Amino acid sequence: MKAGASLQTRLALAIGLSVTLLWLAAAAVTAHRLGGEMQEVFDDGLKATALRVLPIARHDLHEGDGRGDPVEHDGNEDGDDGARRIGREARYGEDVTFVVRDRNGKVLLASAGADASIFPPFVKPGFLRTETHQLYYDASVDGGLTIAVAEPLDRRTELSRKMLLGLLLPLIVMIPFSLLAIVLAVRRSLRPVRLLRQELARRGAQDLSPLPDGGLPSELRPISAGVNQLLDRLTAAFDAERAFAANAAHELRTPVAGAIAQAQRIRTETGEELTGQRATEIETTLKRLMRTSEKLMQLARAEGGRLQTDEPSDLRPVLEMIVEGFTRTGEGRILLTLPEEPVLSRLDPDAVGILFRNLIENALKHGAQNGLVEVTLQADGLLCVANDGAVLPADATERLAKRFERGRGTVGGSGLGFSIVKAIADRTGMSLKVVSPRPLKNEGIQVQVKLPLT
């Protein structure tokens, strides 16, 4: 048995083989004991035949001469040509034969077909076994007559074989049904284990909800409780991490905004070129810090917040609002294409806005500076954001999904945009695909997100 065989297979094989071996052992013991009992029955039959035939033979022989002495027949002393032959319906078949002799060993009476050569001379009453027959000897009270009853051993062997076959045939038929019943019983008994395995297998990396423990057998409850305790600790650790990132980003907003204002004031009030240049650098650094804090808040929202609502909403107005926001800031390179019919989804509009904003920001920053960013939302929920520019290396997708991982270009960024998109897609079951170069082109990148629709 392989080391990786399932528990169900191991139990079914172990129980099935054990039951089969026990049944075969029981059948062998039963056959052995039954064989011994049948030998006793056969021997009792021979003895009963002798006890019935001997008085009848004595009476017939005495009646034949009208006296109390046995009838003497003419014939060769060494043969049995003068013996009387009688036909009989043997109880155990025609193979059971007998001979009746006088005290000198001469055959006086024999059953039809009896061969005197298979009957050794009488020595004493009782059983005698030769190479071919089982015999029983008995004598009259006065010792004048003896009887020998014989039965072929091959007849007994044939009857024993039929008896053994009759014992084994039910086992041969029942063992496969028993094995099938064992497999079904083991499978049914291990159903809670299979359900627990399926529950763990279909969970995503972001699903840390407790395992259901209802209906689990007592052997599995400690496992479920231990897994739930581990999930609780992981949830607490992740919540603490998200809360710290969100709180830190939120608390940094006010002092960073104040520091930016002070840097701008210094730049406007100073008359020294070097001081103004340093104030500009400080302002740039603080603005980058503020953008990073906003991205951290978005990441905390993507990883820990509620991403779905109870009622569906149209996704088109959210995308239009995001594009209008970029247009107001001077980014007029976005080409938006929307379907005429509503695109309804249970995704939270804030989460959808975060996803759209980060995809468009990445396309604007890392695409060709003078090229258009094409945003298309199809009626089936497929969102495509495409831009012209350099071709993305094949191994870059997994690398860019890591936090604080930036592209190889010279355009600055926080390194969190694609991580936020990936977190939202993983938690909501959306498929995320990056195609580079763009379809029907030799350059650029196209990101495809399949949004879940109602």
Side-chain angles (χ1 to χ4, degrees):
M1 186 184 299
K2 295 182 179 180
S6 67
L7 182 61
Q8 176 178 309
T9 303
R10 294 182 181 183
L11 286 177
L13 287 177
I15 297 175
L17 290 177
S18 300
V19 170
T20 302
L21 292 177
L22 287 175
W23 277 20
L24 292 178
V29 173
T30 302
H32 178 72
R33 295 191 60 182
L34 190 58
E37 296 292 336
M38 292 299 296
Q39 292 296 330
E40 293 183 4
V41 171
F42 292 146
D43 290 344
D44 290 342
L46 291 178
K47 185 176 180 179
T49 301
L51 294 178
R52 286 197 308 268
V53 173
L54 184 59
I56 298 173
R58 179 180 178 82
H59 179 271
D60 290 347
L61 292 174
H62 286 178
E63 287 294 332
D65 63 354
R67 299 183 295 105
D69 295 331
V71 176
E72 296 292 340
H73 295 275
D74 296 335
N76 190 347
E77 293 295 330
D78 297 331
D80 62 345
D81 294 337
R84 294 172 59 186
R85 299 278 178 171
I86 62 174
R88 57 182 295 271
E89 187 71 24
R91 180 177 179 182
Y92 297 99
E94 295 299 331
D95 292 329
V96 178
T97 57
F98 66 87
V99 294
V100 178
R101 296 188 178 105
D102 60 13
R103 60 170 48 92
N104 296 322
K106 184 178 180 180
V107 177
L108 303 178
L109 187 66
S111 62
D115 184 3
S117 62
I118 67 174
F119 297 92
F122 176 82
V123 177
K124 62 179 181 178
F127 291 98
L128 176 67
R129 181 178 290 248
T130 64
E131 294 182 357
T132 58
H133 289 75
Q134 176 78 353
L135 301 99
Y136 178 77
Y137 288 87
D138 201 359
S140 61
V141 177
D142 58 2
L145 294 177
T146 63
I147 186 171
V149 184
E151 183 181 15
L153 294 179
D154 56 357
R155 172 65 176 170
R156 292 192 174 190
T157 303
E158 181 183 357
L159 291 176
S160 299
R161 186 182 300 111
K162 290 181 179 180
M163 176 195 66
L164 182 60
L165 185 61
L167 184 64
L168 289 179
L169 277 179
L171 285 180
I172 295 175
V173 174
M174 290 304 299
I175 284 178
F177 288 101
S178 300
L179 295 177
L180 178 60
I182 289 172
V183 171
L184 294 178
V186 170
R187 179 177 177 83
R188 181 176 179 84
S189 300
L190 293 180
R191 185 172 181 270
V193 179
R194 190 164 57 254
L195 293 178
L196 183 62
R197 182 197 65 184
Q198 293 174 356
E199 174 68 21
L200 291 173
R202 65 169 169 257
R203 282 172 174 252
Q206 303 295 331
D207 188 359
L208 298 179
S209 59
L211 293 174
D213 56 358
L216 290 179
S218 57
E219 292 82 1
L220 292 181
R221 288 175 186 170
I223 299 176
S224 177
V227 173
N228 285 336
Q229 290 177 1
L230 176 60
L231 292 176
D232 290 341
R233 290 197 295 269
L234 290 174
T235 301
F238 289 150
D239 289 343
E241 179 184 352
R242 297 188 193 105
F244 174 77
N247 293 334
H250 184 270
E251 294 299 327
L252 282 175
R253 274 186 167 182
T254 301
V256 170
I260 292 175
Q262 293 296 328
Q264 292 174 347
R265 183 176 180 180
I266 292 173
R267 186 182 58 190
T268 57
E269 291 179 354
T270 184
E272 298 181 4
E273 181 180 357
L274 182 59
T275 303
Q277 182 179 357
R278 289 179 178 177
T280 302
E281 293 175 356
I282 293 174
E283 180 185 358
T284 303
T285 303
L286 291 174
K287 286 182 178 179
R288 185 166 60 247
L289 177 60
M290 179 170 286
R291 287 193 301 269
T292 302
S293 65
E294 290 179 356
K295 293 297 182 182
L296 288 174
M297 291 183 64
Q298 292 179 4
L299 183 61
R301 172 78 168 82
E303 292 183 341
R306 186 182 182 186
L307 302 182
Q308 294 187 354
T309 59
D310 297 331
E311 297 294 332
S313 59
D314 189 5
L315 299 181
R316 296 179 302 167
V318 180
L319 188 53
E320 289 176 346
M321 183 180 64
I322 298 298
V323 174
E324 289 175 1
F326 281 103
T327 304
R328 284 194 300 268
T329 60
E331 292 291 351
R333 300 184 291 123
I334 303 175
L335 179 61
L336 178 61
T337 304
L338 298 176
E340 296 181 358
E341 299 295 329
V343 181
L344 300 178
S345 175
R346 295 186 186 275
L347 290 174
D348 184 78
D350 291 339
V352 175
I354 293 174
L355 180 110
F356 287 169
R357 182 179 296 277
N358 282 279
L359 287 176
I360 296 175
E361 280 183 355
N362 284 343
L364 291 171
K365 286 182 180 180
H366 303 288
Q369 296 302 311
N370 297 324
L372 291 177
V373 173
E374 300 176 10
V375 180
T376 304
L377 178 61
Q378 299 179 6
D380 59 354
L382 181 63
L383 173 67
C384 298
V385 179
N387 64 284
D388 295 329
V391 176
L392 190 67
D395 60 342
T397 303
E398 293 295 332
R399 180 173 55 85
L400 293 178
K402 299 178 181 179
R403 298 180 184 180
F404 304 105
E405 185 71 27
R406 297 174 177 85
R408 298 178 181 177
T410 58
V411 179
S414 62
L416 293 173
F418 198 75
S419 300
I420 295 171
V421 173
K422 186 73 165 53
I424 296 176
D426 290 341
R427 289 193 58 202
T428 56
M430 294 186 292
S431 61
L432 179 63
K433 183 179 181 181
V434 179
V435 180
S436 182
R438 295 173 55 183
L440 305 179
K441 290 192 175 184
N442 296 324
E443 62 176 358
I445 302 171
Q446 178 174 290
V447 180
Q448 299 175 355
V449 182
K450 188 66 172 63
L451 305 174
L453 303 182
T454 54

